[in-house]
Amino acid sequence: MIAPTRAWKRSGALIAGAALGLVGVGVSATPASAHTPVWTVTCSEVTIDLKAYSARVTNTVTVTADGKDLLPTQEFGREFSKTLQLPEHKAEIEVRLVVKAGDGDRFSRDETKTAPVCESPEPSEPPQEPEPSEPPNTEPPNTEPPSTEPPNSEAPPAPAPSTPPLAETGGSSATPLIAGAAAAAVAAGAGILVVTRRRRAARG
């Protein structure tokens, strides 16, 4: 009865040791799979997302762009998330992320990525200026009445008479006056003649 008991004890010790070994391996492997540093780089920004780090230690993160500090060293606990704007650049630049985990260097990260140049939008065509329109007529309207004169057209000259004008043979309105004056003159002459003869007879 003593031999079987000792065998069982030895078997139990081996099983317990194996179980502790597996547990130790699992514990040591868990932190490695829990730390998840994720970061992306575009032409204009850097996005950092660090999760499942140990909150019982001090962790730090640093970001540089083209050798200059984009994010000075900053401490964080279990998680860290941030988006950083890159400076304008006309050529590709190197962006470096350094994460130092307080629970071991095996969980730290030192990685570099390249930020491309942002493509500038194509210049749009300038708007076409409208053609200048004629200025409005500011002169006052012509209020003069329309001319009633006939158009200035020269009348053709009257044709010259082909024969000399005929002598006037008819009487005029002055004929009776002339006749009366002549009769008075005749009567006056006759009277003078009679008087003259009487004077001569008286003298002789």
Side-chain angles (χ1 to χ4, degrees):
M1 296 298 294
I2 296 175
T5 303
R6 291 178 178 178
W8 279 107
K9 288 182 179 181
R10 289 178 182 176
S11 299
L14 292 174
I15 293 172
L20 290 174
L22 291 173
V23 171
V25 171
V27 171
S28 62
T30 299
S33 60
H35 295 69
T36 53
V38 177
W39 68 300
T40 58
V41 177
T42 65
C43 68
S44 60
E45 62 185 21
V46 179
T47 303
I48 306 167
D49 192 11
L50 309 177
K51 293 181 179 180
Y53 279 78
S54 176
R56 294 174 295 180
V57 296
T58 301
N59 308 302
T60 61
V61 56
T62 306
V63 180
T64 58
D66 198 20
K68 300 177 182 179
D69 284 343
L70 188 63
L71 176 67
T73 302
Q74 185 171 340
E75 297 181 354
F76 69 97
R78 182 175 178 81
E79 296 181 353
F80 179 86
S81 297
K82 196 166 189 177
T83 298
L84 307 172
Q85 297 296 324
L86 288 171
E88 294 184 1
H89 50 281
K90 297 182 179 180
E92 294 181 349
I93 59 175
E94 299 295 326
V95 181
R96 182 183 177 188
L97 171 70
V98 178
V99 179
K100 292 184 178 180
D103 52 353
D105 290 339
R106 63 183 182 277
F107 306 128
S108 301
R109 291 289 185 274
D110 188 347
E111 301 176 355
T112 301
K113 293 184 179 181
T114 301
V117 179
C118 293
E119 296 181 359
S120 57
E122 297 181 359
S124 58
E125 296 182 359
Q128 296 181 354
E129 296 182 357
E131 296 181 358
S133 58
E134 296 182 359
N137 186 8
T138 57
E139 296 182 359
N142 187 8
T143 57
E144 295 181 1
S147 176
T148 57
E149 296 180 359
N152 185 13
S153 60
E154 296 182 357
S162 59
T163 57
L166 299 176
E168 294 182 0
T169 57
S172 64
S173 60
T175 301
L177 295 176
I178 295 172
V186 171
I192 292 171
L193 181 61
V194 171
V195 172
T196 302
R197 284 181 179 180
R198 285 179 180 178
R199 287 180 181 179
R200 287 178 180 179
R203 287 176 184 177

